[in-house]
């Protein structure tokens, strides 16, 4: 590891010259050998490949087979309808995912175009792509680091690394530090500078030790560059369902031929009947229904500030039981803010500042004047801690005074990492004030007096102890503490060495990156809904725990673990301990991925939220990755499944609600379609076993599956939200679509619909013994209309239609009415009647079939009522 080696070792290993840098010839030779300093591009998927991924599904293959069979049977119109369903399904999915997998392209954009290097003894500006291993790179404030550097010289160097490490404040860098130990996190490697981070203060030089894909950001790119596809729970279940249906179709066909041989029937006739059963087994509208319901869900989510990049992500949200959240910029505001102060003998929240108090006024004013940052409503530049101080001044309308040049700076001693102090000399009327700010321990040593009660008094040991106690109190709350002091001088002619002596202590300010508004309430709501929140951050342990405790994520310090400590745990022990852990601090991108994978192995459905480059691999690994839309990097967004346009953690809770409702609606639709198909299979199979003529024709089944069933199924898919959905615990991802009473409900209703269809056919053959067509028409209508009425009871597994409101889903009522109308048109319009080979029913026939058709609705409502009484 580069941070463990001395400068002499680094220079020798890379054969470079600190003073002159590389020669142009040597730099060119190294570039030819190692290639340009840029991230590798991922090969884009072609439209054909994306299209194939959309149709590469067992259910789609069964639909294609059904289309071919329909065409062979001469039912060309049915084949066309099925193909339209397949194409529609593929196009919707393709549109949603055609922009996917741009993470590496976004990482490439982070490699900024210019860098300062020493070449041939001169400092020259070159493209960052031309930086090679061994180059001596010069860093200045405002410059981006072009590659990974081992620093060889620094002067008050600070680098903003939050996008890579997750730490909320810039890291101080020191060339002299030689660190030992493989457990040192990126944020603690103070003698290193990493590609695509930004210099916020000071200057430095370093040796290029890693470029392109070998850099830390390149390692992240490699973690993202894989074609591993995480299937959502619903995708897994639908894939399993497709295989079961495919196997079922084969079994049905074999059984039919066995029955044909036993009953000595016409084999061609039985072949057509077997095909009918195969068609009945496949819910033709299922793939399109699922895709369309998810697409509608996307539009609903946009209105709630969540952009869904991949359709199945909506369904995944509904089963999430763990939200792993980055701290900086996600749970917090990613903005250092002054929250406490100590002045005039009082420690208080910042709201207690009184500008009429001279000491309070002086504390804020001096913090503003002793700063190199700039602040306005439109722009902020400089160190985040100094920007926080300027924002505090702007809050009390004090910052304008410096802008008006009333206290112009005439001299200064810049911040130094050894002194940990910064001093300025500012004009105050005809005199001057020396103002010093910095670390409490260092500042207190050069103060001989303290500003108290509007006057200056000796700084006794007792008063120093009070100051240190106040500082310790702030530190325990994980606040970053700065102190301020001053002294008045008569002349601008003051020696530098004497400026930081015999100062008057003024006070302290404590600052932190504070939590976002409403986040605590959202975390509490998650907790009540059975969803656990886990904080993962690059910040230090104490800072992470302080925020986690304030938000209600963690209660005890034992629930906090460092990233490298977790990484060292054996797989079994990591799995055992992770249930009790709520906060992970000082984590690297690799640590985050291990944390997410360990949680997933425990059977959890994990959501990961984040905004930085360092979050991208874990966003991709999680069941659903959620990126911040405003502060999030392009890398994080492209690796995610969902983007929050308002960067609000609370939006995740709304998304979970939506996801749960959408999943419930999809499950209702699937249950409805499959129970109807079971009814069709039972009607046909039992009829054949009993030696009856075919109860239904293949075209009848296609009509019911593609037209009559599909519209009500879609209407169920957009059923209004259940207001009690968040009172339920997250469903077990391992739970089947039809586990528990849902499976009983599915099979029971399938049997009921099948028996009713057989009953209609049987009665039809008794009333019209010479007309099989008439009996088939009656069973056709009962099958269709009973399913339409049945949808009303499908809206809720426990609440009756009167509790949820008969007309609260207008789309469903419209679908039922339209279905009945279409069914009537088919059997009354002569042309269609001849195509479908049906008979025009009499009024008595209609009364009979309607009576049979409402039975499923009545039975289900009675069962709900009895179930409720017994629970």
């Amino acid at each position: 590891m580069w941070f463990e080696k001395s400068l002499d070792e680094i220079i020798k290993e890379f054969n470079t010259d600190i003073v002159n840098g590389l020669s142009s010839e040597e730099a060119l030779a190294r570039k030819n050998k190692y290639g340009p300093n840029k991230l590798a591009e991922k090969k884009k998927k072609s439209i054909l490949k994306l299209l194939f991924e959309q149709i590469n599904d067992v259910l789609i293959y069964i639909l294609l087979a059904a289309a071919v069979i329909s065409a062979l049977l001469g039912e060309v119109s049915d084949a066309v309808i099925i193909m339209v369903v397949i194409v529609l399904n593929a196009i919707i999915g393709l549109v949603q995912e055609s922009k996917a997998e741009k993470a590496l392209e976004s990482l490439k954009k982070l490699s900024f175009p210019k860098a300062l290097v020493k070449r041939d003894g001169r400092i020259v500006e070159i493209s960052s792509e031309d930086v090679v291993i061994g180059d001596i790179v010069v860093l200045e404030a405002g410059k981006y680091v072009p590659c990974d550097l081992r620093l060889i010289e620094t002067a008050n160097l600070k680098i903003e690394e939050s996008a890579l490490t997750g730490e909320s404040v810039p890291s101080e860098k020191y060339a002299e530090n030689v660190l030992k130990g493989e457990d040192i996190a990126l944020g603690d490697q103070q003698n290193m500078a990493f590609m695509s981070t930004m210099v916020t203060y000071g200057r430095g030089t370093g040796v290029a030790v890693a470029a392109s894909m070998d850099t830390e950001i390149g390692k992240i790119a490699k973690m993202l560059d894989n074609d591993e596809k995480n299937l959502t729970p619903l995708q897994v279940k639908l894939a399993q369902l497709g295989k079961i249906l495919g196997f079922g179709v084969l079994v049905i066909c074999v059984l039919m031929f066995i029955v044909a041989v036993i009953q000595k029937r016409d084999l061609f006739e039985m072949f057509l009947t077997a095909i009918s059963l195969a068609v009945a087994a496949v819910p033709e509208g299922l793939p399109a229904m699922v895709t369309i319901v998810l697409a509608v869900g996307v539009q609903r989510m946009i209105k709630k500030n969540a952009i869904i990049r991949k359709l199945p992500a909506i369904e995944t949200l509904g089963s999430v039981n763990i939200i792993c959240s980055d701290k900086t910029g996600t749970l917090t505001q990613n903005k250092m803010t002054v929250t406490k102060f100590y002045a005039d003998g009082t420690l208080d929240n910042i709201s207690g500042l009184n500008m009429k108090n001279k000491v309070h006024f002086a504390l804020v004013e001096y913090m503003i004047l002793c700063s190199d940052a700039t602040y306005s409503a439109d722009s902020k530049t400089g160190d985040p801690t100094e920007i926080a101080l300027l924002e505090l001044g702007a809050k009390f309308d004090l910052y304008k005074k410096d802008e008006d040049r009333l206290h112009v700076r005439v001299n200064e001693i810049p911040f130094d990492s050894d002194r940990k102090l910064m001093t300025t000399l500012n004009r105050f009327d005809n005199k001057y004030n020396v103002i010093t700010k910095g670390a409490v321990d260092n500042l207190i040593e050069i103060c001989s007096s303290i500003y108290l009660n509007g006057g200056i008094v000796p700084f006794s040991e007792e008063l120093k102890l009070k100051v240190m106690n106040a500082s310790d109190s702030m530190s325990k709350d994980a606040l970053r503490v700065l102190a301020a002091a001053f002294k008045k001088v008569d002349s601008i002619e003051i020696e530098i060495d004497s400026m930081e002596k015999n100062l008057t202590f003024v006070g302290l300010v404590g600052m932190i990156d504070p939590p976002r508004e409403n986040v605590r309430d959202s975390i509490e709501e998650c907790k009540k809904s059975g969803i656990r929140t886990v904080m993962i951050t690059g910040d230090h342990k104490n800072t992470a725990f302080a925020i986690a405790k304030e938000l209600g994520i963690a209660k005890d310090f034992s629930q906090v673990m460092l990233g490298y400590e977790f990484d060292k745990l054996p797989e079994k022990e990591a799995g055992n301990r992770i249930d009790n852990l709520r906060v992970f601090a000082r984590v690297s991108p690799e640590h985050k991925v291990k944390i997410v994978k360990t949680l997933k192995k425990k059977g959890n459905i994990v959501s990961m939220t984040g905004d930085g480059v360092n979050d991208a691999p874990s966003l991709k690994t999680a069941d659903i990755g959620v990126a911040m839309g405003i502060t999030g990097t392009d890398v994080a967004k492209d690796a995610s499944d969902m983007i929050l346009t308002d960067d609000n953690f609370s939006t995740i809770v709304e998304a979970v609600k939506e996801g749960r409702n959408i999943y419930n609606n999809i499950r209702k639709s699937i249950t409805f379609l499959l129970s109807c198909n079971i009814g069709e299979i039972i009607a046909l199979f039992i009829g054949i076993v009993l030696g009856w003529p075919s109860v239904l024709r293949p075209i009848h089944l296609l009509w019911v599956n593609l037209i009559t069933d599909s519209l009500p199924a879609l209407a169920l898919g957009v059923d209004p939200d259940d207001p009690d959905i968040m009172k339920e615990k997250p469903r077990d991802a391992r739970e089947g679509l039809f586990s528990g009473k849902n499976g009983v409900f599915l099979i029971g209703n399938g049997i009921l619909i099948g028996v009713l269809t057989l009953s209609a056919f049987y009665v039809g053959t008794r009333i019209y013994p010479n007309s099989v067509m008439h009996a088939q028409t009656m069973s056709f209508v009962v099958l269709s209309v009973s399913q339409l009425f049945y949808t009303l009871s499908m809206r809720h597994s426990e609440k009756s239609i009167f509790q949820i409101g008969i007309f609260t889903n207008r789309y469903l009522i419209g679908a039922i009415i339209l279905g009945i109308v279409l069914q009537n048109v088919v059997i009354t319009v002569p042309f269609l009647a001849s195509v479908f080979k049906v008979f025009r029913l009499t009024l008595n026939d209609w009364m009979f079939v309607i009576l049979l058709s409402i039975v499923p609705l009545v039975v289900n409502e009675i069962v709900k009522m009895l179930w409720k009484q017994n629970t």
Side-chain angles (χ1 to χ4, degrees), residues 572-867:
K572 186 175 180 181
E573 188 178 350
N576 292 335
R577 294 192 61 182
I578 202 164
D579 288 338
N580 187 53
L581 296 172
R582 296 293 182 272
V583 180
F584 294 89
R586 300 308 274 171
V587 293
S588 68
E590 293 88 350
H591 298 159
K592 291 185 180 185
V593 171
K594 180 177 179 179
I595 292 164
V596 172
K597 284 185 175 179
T598 304
L599 287 167
K600 288 175 68 175
K601 283 178 182 176
K602 298 275 289 185
N604 298 297
I605 300 298
V606 181
S607 167
M608 175 71 196
T609 68
D611 60 353
V613 176
N614 61 319
D615 297 315
S618 52
L619 288 175
K620 192 167 184 178
T621 304
D623 292 293
I624 176 164
V626 182
M628 301 296 110
I630 300 173
T631 60
T633 59
D634 287 342
V635 185
K637 292 175 187 175
D638 289 337
S640 68
D641 302 290
M642 183 174 83
I643 300 171
L644 305 182
T645 58
D646 59 355
D647 280 17
N648 194 338
F649 182 87
S650 303
T651 303
I652 298 173
V653 180
E654 292 301 315
V656 168
K657 289 179 185 175
E658 192 69 30
R660 287 187 178 189
N661 278 303
I662 288 173
Y663 180 85
N664 280 355
N665 287 347
I666 289 175
R667 185 163 66 173
K668 284 187 282 189
S669 298
I670 292 173
T671 303
F672 163 70
L673 288 174
L674 292 182
S675 57
C676 293
N677 283 38
I678 288 173
E680 296 164 10
I681 293 169
I682 287 173
L684 281 171
F685 189 73
I686 298 299
I688 295 301
V689 170
L690 293 175
W692 295 357
S694 182
V695 176
L696 294 160
R697 293 178 177 274
I699 194 171
H700 297 165
L701 297 169
L702 284 170
W703 171 261
V704 171
N705 288 353
L706 289 175
I707 308 299
T708 313
D709 282 359
S710 59
L711 292 177
L714 281 173
L716 281 174
V718 293
D719 209 27
D721 293 348
D722 181 359
D724 299 324
I725 196 72
M726 291 303 283
K727 292 179 182 178
E728 302 172 9
K729 298 298 180 185
R731 68 181 181 278
D732 189 341
R734 293 165 293 190
E735 182 182 276
L737 276 168
F738 315 114
S739 59
K741 64 179 181 181
N742 200 48
V744 176
F745 192 73
L746 167 70
I747 296 171
N749 280 290
I751 293 172
L752 181 60
I753 291 170
V755 169
L756 291 171
T757 305
L758 284 168
S759 300
F761 184 83
Y762 178 79
V763 171
T765 56
R766 290 297 176 268
I767 299 174
Y768 308 102
N770 298 321
S771 177
V772 173
M773 185 187 294
H774 205 137
Q776 286 177 336
T777 305
M778 291 179 69
S779 59
F780 178 31
V781 173
V782 167
L783 177 67
S784 176
V785 178
S786 65
Q787 292 178 8
L788 292 172
F789 284 128
Y790 164 53
T791 56
L792 290 172
S793 61
M794 281 295 304
R795 292 188 58 194
H796 203 284
S797 61
E798 295 177 2
K799 296 178 182 178
S800 72
I801 57 173
F802 302 105
Q803 285 178 292
I804 58 178
I806 297 176
F807 299 103
T808 50
N809 187 340
R810 293 173 295 174
Y811 299 109
L812 182 57
I813 298 299
I816 292 171
I817 294 171
L818 180 62
I820 293 172
V821 169
L822 289 173
Q823 192 65 34
N824 188 47
V825 167
V826 162
I827 63 176
T828 53
V829 175
F831 169 72
L832 292 174
S834 64
V835 170
F836 281 85
K837 296 181 175 59
V838 290
F839 196 89
R840 186 165 186 165
L841 298 182
T842 65
L843 181 61
N844 287 336
D845 292 337
W846 270 110
M847 290 177 64
F848 175 71
V849 297
I850 292 294
L851 187 64
L852 283 182
S853 298
I854 63 172
V855 170
L857 172 61
V858 174
V859 169
N860 277 288
E861 291 303 301
I862 292 172
V863 169
K864 285 183 197 177
M865 184 174 64
L866 295 174
W867 188 287

Side-chain angles (χ1 to χ4, degrees), residues 32-281:
N32 290 335
K33 182 178 180 180
Y34 298 108
N37 176 36
K38 64 179 183 177
L39 299 176
E41 296 184 33
K42 186 176 180 180
K43 188 178 179 181
K44 293 182 179 180
K45 294 179 182 178
S46 66
I47 294 295
L48 285 176
K49 186 174 182 180
L50 287 171
L51 188 62
F52 176 73
E53 287 179 356
Q54 297 300 319
I55 63 173
N56 186 22
D57 181 85
V58 176
L59 275 177
I60 298 295
Y61 292 150
I62 296 174
L63 283 179
L64 287 169
V68 172
I69 291 168
S70 297
L72 291 175
L73 291 174
E75 305 295 345
V76 179
S77 59
D78 299 325
V80 170
I81 292 173
I82 296 174
M83 291 305 299
V84 167
V85 170
I86 293 170
V87 172
L88 180 64
N89 179 68
I91 290 175
I92 293 172
L94 184 63
V95 168
Q96 288 294 328
E97 296 188 26
S98 61
K99 297 179 181 180
E101 308 312 326
K102 294 180 182 176
L104 288 182
E105 290 181 30
S106 298
L107 280 166
K108 182 186 172 186
K109 292 174 186 174
L110 288 177
S111 302
F112 290 82
K114 298 294 180 184
L116 293 174
V117 298
K118 289 183 180 180
R119 292 273 175 90
D120 302 312
R122 297 180 297 112
I123 295 177
V124 295
E125 188 175 56
I126 64 172
S127 169
S128 63
E129 290 186 9
D130 296 329
V131 174
V132 297
I133 299 297
D135 258 327
I136 305 300
V137 179
V138 179
L139 300 176
E140 296 177 345
K143 288 279 188 182
Y144 282 87
V145 181
C147 59
D148 285 3
L149 305 174
R150 169 62 165 86
L151 297 170
I152 58 177
E153 180 185 358
T154 60
N156 304 322
L157 183 63
K158 292 184 181 182
I159 298 182
E160 168 62 60
E161 298 178 331
S162 63
L164 185 65
T165 66
E167 192 167 2
S168 53
V169 294
S171 299
E172 295 181 3
K173 298 294 182 178
Y174 308 98
E176 297 79 14
N177 285 21
V178 177
L179 308 171
K180 296 292 181 182
E182 58 184 33
D183 299 331
I184 297 176
L186 287 180
D188 293 325
Q189 293 177 20
Q190 295 176 311
N191 57 12
M192 295 290 296
F194 302 106
M195 185 179 187
S196 296
T197 58
M198 188 181 74
V199 179
T200 61
Y201 195 88
R203 57 187 175 79
T205 56
V207 179
V209 295
S212 61
M213 296 300 287
D214 294 325
T215 61
E216 291 300 326
I217 205 167
K219 291 176 185 177
I220 295 176
K222 289 175 185 176
M223 293 169 71
L224 290 171
D225 187 19
N226 65 77
D227 293 318
E228 182 181 343
K229 191 173 182 181
N230 290 324
L231 296 179
T232 72
L234 182 61
Q235 285 178 314
V236 171
K237 293 179 178 71
L238 288 178
Q240 293 170 346
L241 177 63
K243 292 175 183 177
I244 292 169
L245 290 175
F247 179 74
V249 167
L250 293 175
V251 170
I252 287 168
C253 291
V254 171
L255 283 175
M256 284 301 93
F257 277 100
I258 292 173
V259 170
V261 172
I262 293 171
Q263 295 183 349
K264 298 181 180 180
R265 292 198 178 206
D266 181 82
L267 290 180
F268 182 73
E269 178 191 345
M270 288 310 299
F271 173 75
L272 295 180
T273 305
I275 294 303
S276 299
L277 271 169
V279 170

Side-chain angles (χ1 to χ4, degrees), residues 168 325-332 513 535-537 539 543-544 547:
S168 53
S325 178
D326 178 47
K327 179 186 78 69
T328 306
T330 307
L331 295 172
T332 63
D513 181 13
M535 179 195 290
I536 303 178
T537 178
D539 262 329
T543 305
I547 293 291

Side-chain angles (χ1 to χ4, degrees), residues 497-508:
D497 293 341
S498 66
M499 284 177 70
E500 293 181 349
K501 293 180 180 178
N502 297 318
L503 299 177
T504 299
F505 185 86
V506 179
L508 310 169

Side-chain angles (χ1 to χ4, degrees), residues 452-473:
L452 273 179
N453 300 319
I456 297 174
V457 299
F459 203 6
S460 65
E461 291 300 320
E462 183 182 351
L463 289 173
K464 286 183 180 180
L465 183 60
K466 286 185 177 180
V467 170
M468 291 309 298
N469 286 340
S471 176
D472 291 343
S473 176

